[in-house]
Amino acid sequence: MPRDHRPAKSVRVLLAEDQGMMRGALALLLGLEEDMEVVAQVSAGDAIVDTALTCRPDVALLDIELPGCSGLDAAAELRDQVPDCRVLILTTFGRPGYLRRAMEAGAAGFLVKDGPVEDLAESIRKVLRGETVVDPALAAAALSAGPSPLTAREADALRASADGATVSDIAGKLHLSESTVRNYLSSAIGKTGTRNRMEAMRSARRQGWL
């Protein structure tokens, strides 16, 4: 656990959200809190770590689905490169698999966007005190859903199936043989209980496994 995160004055917040209107509204509302200051706003996932290294926020408030890289991937990088920054995931997609992946990436909290801003501000204060904050309904769903049944390579193959990619395309992208790719896709289809790889990919995304 990093050292005590409580700042001497205001809480320095980095905000990562790709929708401009939502990002602006969150920055405005959090800025109204007497003990908070939004020190940086970014719209792409691959800008999060460099910005955090520059502005040294106390808390990074991250969406999941961002251009460049996901908020989950950025959370893992922040854990390694900016360990004093606590991460709070704020997303529209309250999927059990996302919660598990967020916790594995070192996030201190996971909330969905339909809650009141007062709860968000208090959650920021809680993670700064070293507490873990998770939406209760989502926590219960994650426990009942269990971990992802997909191996890392099966998940990679499904991700690479997007946009109508052929088995040959996927094999080239993942540096695997076509027969190996077919085996991974077949296994993923079986584990998701679907009929083909596109259905498997959609099912895995709904669960937050991808």
Side-chain angles (χ1 to χ4, degrees):
M1 176 66 66
R3 67 176 186 270
D4 191 341
H5 292 276
R6 287 172 293 186
K9 296 181 181 178
S10 60
V11 181
R12 296 170 58 82
V13 179
L14 181 153
L15 180 58
E17 164 64 54
D18 63 331
Q19 296 182 24
M21 185 176 295
M22 174 66 73
R23 186 172 65 252
L26 284 171
L28 178 62
L29 291 169
L30 291 176
L32 295 175
E33 298 291 321
E34 293 183 358
D35 59 342
M36 292 186 188
E37 177 187 5
V38 177
V39 295
Q41 300 179 45
V42 299
S43 59
D46 49 10
I48 292 171
V49 174
D50 286 345
T51 303
L53 286 168
T54 299
C55 69
R56 293 290 172 175
D58 300 301
V59 175
L61 188 60
L62 311 181
D63 193 5
I64 290 180
E65 298 195 354
L66 296 167
C69 79
S70 75
L72 299 176
D73 292 334
E77 288 189 55
L78 285 173
R79 177 188 56 197
D80 296 335
Q81 298 193 44
V82 195
D84 287 334
C85 177
R86 302 280 281 172
V87 172
L88 180 59
I89 299 293
L90 180 66
T91 181
T92 304
F93 305 102
R95 298 168 180 168
Y98 278 167
L99 172 56
R100 286 183 174 272
R101 290 168 60 195
M103 296 298 105
E104 290 169 0
F110 193 107
L111 299 173
V112 291
K113 291 179 180 176
D114 59 0
V117 70
E118 294 83 4
D119 289 354
L120 174 59
E122 185 56 29
S123 294
I124 291 173
R125 297 182 186 102
K126 285 181 177 179
V127 299
L128 198 61
R129 294 195 296 264
E131 300 178 37
T132 298
V133 180
V134 177
D135 179 90
L138 186 58
L143 287 173
S144 63
S148 170
L150 303 175
T151 67
R153 274 311 204 177
E154 289 165 357
D156 288 341
L158 285 182
R159 288 190 193 94
S161 296
D163 303 322
T166 65
V167 169
S168 178
D169 294 334
I170 298 168
K173 184 175 182 179
L174 300 181
H175 306 291
L176 298 171
S177 70
E178 292 187 19
S179 61
T180 299
V181 168
R182 289 192 183 93
N183 287 338
Y184 284 143
L185 291 174
S186 176
S187 179
I189 291 167
K191 289 178 178 179
T192 54
T194 53
R195 296 173 297 179
N196 55 57
R197 59 191 171 103
M198 296 310 294
E199 286 187 6
M201 180 180 65
R202 287 193 290 268
S203 175
R205 282 183 170 171
R206 282 195 300 271
Q207 293 294 329
W209 296 337
L210 300 183

